[in-house]
């Protein structure tokens, strides 16, 4: 079973590339982020034509997450994180599919540091950590997949000096990541590529970052112990980032027995 997370950076703008990738790779489960589209305007028919069904949590112009499954309808468990009823951002969706509990996550970017946007990021991560603990207590295979907007270690970015003031590398951001991950989750991509110095999943559109391989590792799949026992592989579909009018993220995946 192949499970992939993919930040599309606008599903309607990237639809031809997304459908090409979906038809070529044929993952069993897909977690999408940054749809940037209201739910009623999502191109669900195009996705269904390729044999996928999904649960969608759209938002006009911003955010937006979804979980798709090939040949199976995911069963929605929740939209949005608990802990803040006033948070209307479409950043979290959770479903059960093929015996797994799967979450698609679009964590706040948090820039610029020192503003309410960064405070919101940290509060959101605290809520995610609390909910992740609840999921672990179910003692079931769970995968938390998405664009976390976190660079866990210095080696996960092309230059820690150049990104020292970015919200994704801040000590407070990394502290929240470590507290969550160390609570019992396996960072699947790093587990299979422990020594890779350029394990990137995102390349900015500016300054020739893709052509120069100046990347970030922002997209992560965390597995509960029950899911980690089934891990058989993990990787990045870098080829998709090199396509014309591609997203600035590459699909990132795991294989489960």
């Amino acid at each position: 079973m192949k499970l992939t997370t993919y930040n599309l950076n606008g599903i309607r703008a990237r639809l031809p590339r997304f459908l090409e990738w979906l038809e070529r790779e044929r993952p069993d489960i897909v977690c999408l982020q940054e749809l940037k589209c209201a739910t009623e305007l999502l191109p669900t028919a195009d996705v269904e034509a390729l044999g996928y069904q999904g649960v969608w949590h759209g938002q006009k112009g911003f955010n937006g997450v979804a979980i798709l499954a090939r040949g199976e309808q995911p069963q929605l468990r929740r939209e949005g994180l608990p802990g803040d009823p006033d948070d209307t951002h479409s950043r979290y969706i959770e479903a059960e599919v093929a015996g797994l509990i799967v979450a698609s996550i679009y964590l706040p970017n948090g820039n610029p540091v020192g503003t309410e946007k960064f405070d919101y990021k940290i509060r959101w991560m605290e809520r995610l950590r609390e909910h992740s603990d609840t999921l672990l207590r179910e003692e079931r295979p769970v995968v938390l997949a998405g664009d976390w907007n976190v660079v866990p270690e210095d080696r996960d970015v092309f230059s820690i000096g150049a990104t020292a003031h970015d919200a994704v590398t801040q000590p407070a951001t990394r502290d929240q990541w470590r507290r969550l991950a160390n609570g019992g989750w396996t960072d699947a991509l790093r587990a299979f590529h422990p020594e890779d110095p350029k394990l990137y999943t995102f390349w900015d559109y500016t300054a020739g970052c893709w052509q120069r391989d100046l990347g970030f590792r922002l997209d992560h799949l965390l597995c509960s112990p029950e899911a980690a026992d089934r891990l058989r592989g993990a990787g990045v579909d870098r080829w998709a980032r090199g396509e014309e009018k591609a997203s600035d993220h590459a699909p990132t995946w795991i294989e489960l027995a």
Side-chain angles (χ1 to χ4, degrees):
M1 177 189 295
K2 188 174 183 179
L3 188 158
T4 304
T5 181
Y6 195 179
N7 179 318
L8 288 175
N9 191 16
I11 190 170
R12 297 182 71 86
R14 316 293 169 201
L15 188 59
R17 299 290 82 78
F18 171 52
L19 296 177
E20 288 170 5
W21 167 81
L22 200 60
E23 195 163 19
R24 170 172 164 174
E25 297 294 338
R26 304 294 289 171
D28 299 286
I29 303 171
V30 186
C31 296
L32 300 176
Q33 303 88 38
E34 209 169 358
L35 302 174
K36 295 184 178 180
C37 184
T39 300
E40 62 272 16
L41 298 177
L42 287 163
T44 55
D46 297 280
V47 173
E48 290 168 359
L50 293 180
Y52 287 84
Q53 300 177 65
V55 289
W56 305 80
H57 186 27
Q59 183 176 342
K60 182 180 179 181
F62 301 94
N63 309 319
V65 287
I67 299 172
L68 313 179
R70 182 158 54 91
E72 182 175 349
Q73 175 62 51
Q75 300 303 306
L76 181 66
R77 284 173 51 108
R78 69 174 303 118
E79 293 178 346
L81 279 175
D84 185 358
D86 297 325
D87 185 1
T88 59
H89 289 194
S90 299
R91 294 185 175 276
Y92 184 92
I93 192 168
E94 181 181 302
E96 186 164 340
V97 56
L100 301 174
I101 297 172
V102 180
S104 181
I105 296 166
Y106 179 45
L107 205 142
N109 175 276
N111 283 308
V113 176
T115 68
E116 169 57 27
K117 289 184 177 181
F118 186 72
D119 294 341
Y120 170 64
K121 178 190 185 87
I122 298 303
R123 292 196 305 270
W124 205 94
M125 294 185 77
E126 291 172 345
R127 289 162 54 207
L128 178 60
R129 177 166 49 84
E130 291 172 2
H131 184 56
S132 74
D133 289 342
T134 301
L135 291 172
L136 284 177
R137 287 195 290 272
E138 294 195 35
E139 297 184 352
R140 295 184 57 193
V142 184
V143 181
L144 306 179
D147 174 4
W148 289 69
N149 270 311
V150 176
V151 171
E153 302 175 83
D154 289 359
R155 62 177 173 161
D156 292 319
V157 66
F158 72 94
S159 169
I160 192 60
T163 58
H165 301 294
D166 196 301
V168 302
T169 64
Q170 294 307 299
T173 302
R174 288 177 166 181
D175 178 64
Q176 288 294 330
W177 163 268
R178 283 192 297 269
R179 293 174 68 186
L180 190 157
N182 292 344
W185 300 89
T186 295
D187 178 357
L189 192 61
R190 184 53 79 185
F192 277 89
H193 305 277
E195 305 302 329
D196 191 336
K198 291 193 173 185
L199 192 60
Y200 302 148
T201 66
F202 167 87
W203 297 259
D204 195 88
Y205 290 129
T206 63
C209 286
W210 168 247
Q211 294 79 4
R212 300 162 63 197
D213 200 16
L214 306 180
F216 298 64
R217 187 165 78 97
L218 298 178
D219 304 86
H220 312 296
L221 299 105
L222 295 190
C223 296
S224 70
E226 294 78 9
D229 285 345
R230 295 168 54 182
L231 275 170
R232 295 297 181 268
V236 181
D237 291 336
R238 288 176 65 116
W239 70 264
R241 175 61 179 86
E243 299 295 284
E244 185 178 1
K245 296 182 179 179
S247 170
D248 44 7
H249 292 255
T252 305
W253 51 268
I254 58 173
E255 288 182 345
L256 300 168

